[in-house]
Amino acid sequence: MAASSDRIMLGPLVAAVDQGTSSTRFLVFNAKTAELLSHHQVEIKQSFPKEGWVEEDPREILQSVYECMERTCEKLTQLNIDISNIKAIGVTNQRETTLVWDKETGEPLYNAIVWLDLRTQSTVERLINKTPGRNKNHLKTGLPISTYFSAVKLRWLVDNVLEVHEAVQSHRAMFGTIDSWLIWCLTGGRNGGVHCTDVTNASRTMLFNIHTMDWDPELCKYGTGCFLLRNTGLKPVMSDHGLLTTVAYKLGRDKPAYYALEGSVAIAGAVVQWLKDNLGIVQSSVEIENLAAAVGTSYGCYFVPAFSGLYAPYWEPSARGIICGLTQFTNRSHLAFAALEAVCFQTREILDAMNQDSGIPLTQLQVDGGMTSNRLLMQLQADILCIPVVKPSMPETTALGAAMAAGAAEGVSVWSLKPEDLTAVTCEKFEPQINPEESEFRYARWKKAVQKAMNWETTEPVANGNGMY
């Protein structure tokens, strides 16, 4: 009975919706201790209507949020925790993924176009051709002109989906990233739902001026990855090495914005899903660690998973995936190891660019997310970076951050962000275990494979009527 009483007296709770590319989660934290009390997760289906196209159903995404909320609250009730103590809900989401819905019916007008999608490449090329010196980089947004960001996806929707075009003409269309769609629906939808976003999501649309911190009239004339961020403070640092300049956070209307350099990898954890779903090499994502650990090497096999082109630091949408260095000895265990190494090599490329831009080498890398449960991957990452990798014991730090921001919001104020009030986080550190020369050798071989991927001819030859090319 004493334990039950303790549970009832927990005090204020804060929740977070974590809507990612492959799954949705709802998590509830104790605002005083940052303890994760309960959570639920639902996977999200992706569809691939054409090569390079990636879509998700906005209705399914919304329903997954409702299901996660209901199941988590059921679990809390079973633990005798009063769910009325949940004082705020934060939202963290897959960014850049774009959708348009009808504000009168509340219905999506097309599937959400996922950030990985490549269908807007011709639009991107036209925009680059219009810029002086065909410069890919845009100083107002801090972003390169790329298929990655929301503005070009919105332009495609307006130009190619009749329902969207008509809704825009009749002023019924609402555009947003996933956070906007969820918040609008959760706050009433067509019955007074709030249509909003925050500066971090807005800064990834290619329509937001990161210097004025507002939508830019000139820019608005456009119409499961791995992400590495480095806080650069109160001033935006423009990258000379292929990184994005983005808004890291702004914790209140009257608070200053903090900026970050960011590197984005299109295919990280998704490479494991590809090995499972497309090749059948593994039956589950957990299996890949055991498979790779069984050989402990790729045996000279290198894997560049450029399924959607290459993001930072190359920004080359025409690049394609490549596996090289195969021999008769190569087996599925070596491929599994090469896939994990590919995640580490891509992170290394971004870290090198960050060190060059900032002039201050990073001395350790802090990680979170689902892939951090793979201990072999964490050790490989430390070996390839030649610096320690630090993993928190509670890996849901993305959702925790959203919950902390919600709990500290004006009018809620149940979570103090003062350093002296924050609970210490226990971590595990992975130290490099190979010499730097071996790391550099493997990294150099990877870079050669990347060059092959970037020079791949993506256009198939067309046969004539006689079957000849």
Side-chain angles (χ1 to χ4, degrees), residues 302-454:
Y302 290 87
F303 186 178
V304 183
F307 304 149
S308 298
L310 288 169
Y311 283 18
Y314 301 103
W315 300 105
E316 184 49 71
S318 64
R320 287 296 176 265
I322 190 169
I323 301 175
C324 58
L326 299 174
T327 71
Q328 257 188 320
F329 182 72
T330 307
N331 60 36
R332 66 189 190 120
S333 294
H334 299 119
L335 285 179
F337 195 95
L340 295 181
E341 271 195 323
V343 176
C344 302
F345 287 134
Q346 291 177 98
T347 304
R348 166 73 187 267
E349 288 186 309
I350 292 171
L351 190 66
D352 284 354
M354 281 189 175
N355 287 340
Q356 289 176 292
D357 278 330
S358 67
I360 305 172
L362 204 67
T363 57
Q364 67 178 26
L365 180 68
Q366 296 177 324
V367 297
D368 78 334
M371 292 197 79
T372 61
S373 62
N374 188 320
R375 295 178 60 82
L376 174 61
L377 176 65
M378 296 298 95
Q379 186 58 57
L380 282 173
Q381 190 67 85
D383 290 344
I384 289 167
L385 295 181
C386 301
I387 59 173
V389 168
V390 179
K391 167 195 166 186
S393 57
M394 200 284 289
E396 305 294 350
T397 53
T398 301
L400 176 60
M404 291 171 71
E410 185 178 341
V412 181
S413 302
V414 297
W415 202 314
S416 172
L417 298 185
K418 295 178 181 177
E420 62 269 22
D421 294 334
L422 295 177
T423 305
V425 178
T426 57
C427 297
E428 181 177 7
K429 183 179 285 189
F430 294 81
E431 299 280 356
Q433 292 183 354
I434 64 174
N435 61 57
E437 290 77 17
E438 181 182 346
S439 174
E440 291 301 322
F441 174 78
R442 285 156 63 178
Y443 183 49
R445 297 289 291 271
W446 154 264
K447 297 284 277 186
K448 286 184 178 180
V450 169
Q451 291 305 312
K452 292 181 183 294
M454 290 179 66

Side-chain angles (χ1 to χ4, degrees), residues 15 68 75 112 139 142 213 224 235 283 363 397 418 437 459 465:
C68 287
K75 293 175 184 178
L139 295 180
M213 299 300 290
T224 291
K235 293 184 179 180
Q283 300 303 312
T363 57
T397 53
K418 295 178 181 177
E437 290 77 17
T459 304

Side-chain angles (χ1 to χ4, degrees), residues 48-53 118 320 458:
F48 308 92
K50 297 182 181 180
E51 183 181 355
W53 292 28
L118 292 176
R320 287 296 176 265
T458 58

Side-chain angles (χ1 to χ4, degrees), residues 51-350:
E51 183 181 355
W53 292 28
V54 189
E55 299 179 358
E56 293 180 351
D57 184 348
R59 299 177 193 85
E60 181 189 350
I61 291 174
L62 179 62
Q63 186 56 42
S64 72
V65 172
Y66 287 141
E67 181 179 344
C68 287
M69 285 180 165
E70 290 172 7
R71 297 291 175 269
T72 302
C73 288
E74 288 173 3
K75 293 175 184 178
L76 289 171
T77 302
Q78 291 170 2
L79 293 170
N80 205 19
I81 295 174
D82 186 357
I83 61 174
S84 68
N85 280 338
I86 298 176
K87 303 302 182 184
I89 300 175
V91 177
T92 178
N93 57 285
Q94 50 171 315
R95 300 166 302 171
E96 301 93 17
T97 296
T98 302
L99 69 152
V100 177
W101 65 96
D102 189 317
K103 68 179 180 182
E104 294 181 3
T105 67
E107 291 296 313
L109 297 171
Y110 190 78
N111 278 343
I113 300 180
V114 177
W115 55 277
L116 284 165
D117 191 279
L118 292 176
R119 76 188 68 188
T120 56
Q121 183 54 35
S122 60
T123 303
V124 167
E125 289 170 358
R126 285 199 305 272
L127 290 172
I128 292 173
N129 287 334
K130 289 180 180 178
T131 60
R134 300 189 76 254
N135 187 0
K136 287 185 180 181
N137 298 314
H138 204 293
L139 295 180
K140 283 188 175 184
T141 66
L143 309 173
I145 301 173
S146 166
T147 58
Y148 185 18
F149 307 109
S150 304
V152 288
K153 303 181 196 300
L154 175 60
R155 180 76 264 169
W156 186 93
L157 287 165
V158 173
D159 290 344
N160 294 277
V161 180
L162 180 61
E163 293 84 353
V164 173
H165 180 77
E166 290 176 345
V168 170
Q169 295 297 315
S170 58
H171 304 286
R172 292 181 290 109
M174 296 190 107
F175 152 71
T177 43
I178 294 297
D179 60 312
S180 299
W181 164 244
L182 294 179
I183 292 170
W184 187 79
C185 293
L186 293 171
T187 56
R190 58 182 178 170
N191 298 313
V194 177
H195 187 210
C196 66
T197 188
D198 77 317
V199 293
T200 64
N201 278 288
S203 70
R204 309 306 288 252
T205 61
M206 232 163 59
L207 302 171
F208 187 80
N209 188 318
I210 63 171
H211 305 282
T212 64
M213 299 300 290
D214 204 351
W215 302 110
D216 192 285
E218 179 190 351
L219 298 176
C220 288
K221 297 175 184 177
Y222 285 167
T224 291
C226 169
F227 307 93
L228 182 61
L229 290 94
R230 185 167 191 163
N231 190 325
T232 60
L234 296 171
K235 293 184 179 180
V237 175
M238 308 311 290
S239 175
D240 294 321
H241 299 91
L243 301 178
L244 311 178
T245 304
T246 193
V247 180
Y249 60 89
K250 185 176 186 291
L251 297 176
R253 284 191 179 90
D254 301 323
K255 302 290 185 179
Y258 282 76
Y259 296 87
L261 284 170
E262 176 174 336
S264 308
V265 174
I267 303 294
V271 74
V272 178
Q273 188 172 354
W274 183 80
L275 290 176
K276 177 172 75 75
D277 297 340
N278 291 45
L279 296 190
I281 285 178
V282 293
Q283 300 303 312
S284 68
S285 56
V286 176
E287 188 183 342
I288 193 170
E289 181 174 4
N290 296 331
L291 201 60
V295 288
T297 176
S298 68
Y299 199 72
C301 174
Y302 290 87
F303 186 178
V304 183
F307 304 149
S308 298
L310 288 169
Y311 283 18
Y314 301 103
W315 300 105
E316 184 49 71
S318 64
R320 287 296 176 265
I322 190 169
I323 301 175
C324 58
L326 299 174
T327 71
Q328 257 188 320
F329 182 72
T330 307
N331 60 36
R332 66 189 190 120
S333 294
H334 299 119
L335 285 179
F337 195 95
L340 295 181
E341 271 195 323
V343 176
C344 302
F345 287 134
Q346 291 177 98
T347 304
R348 166 73 187 267
E349 288 186 309
I350 292 171

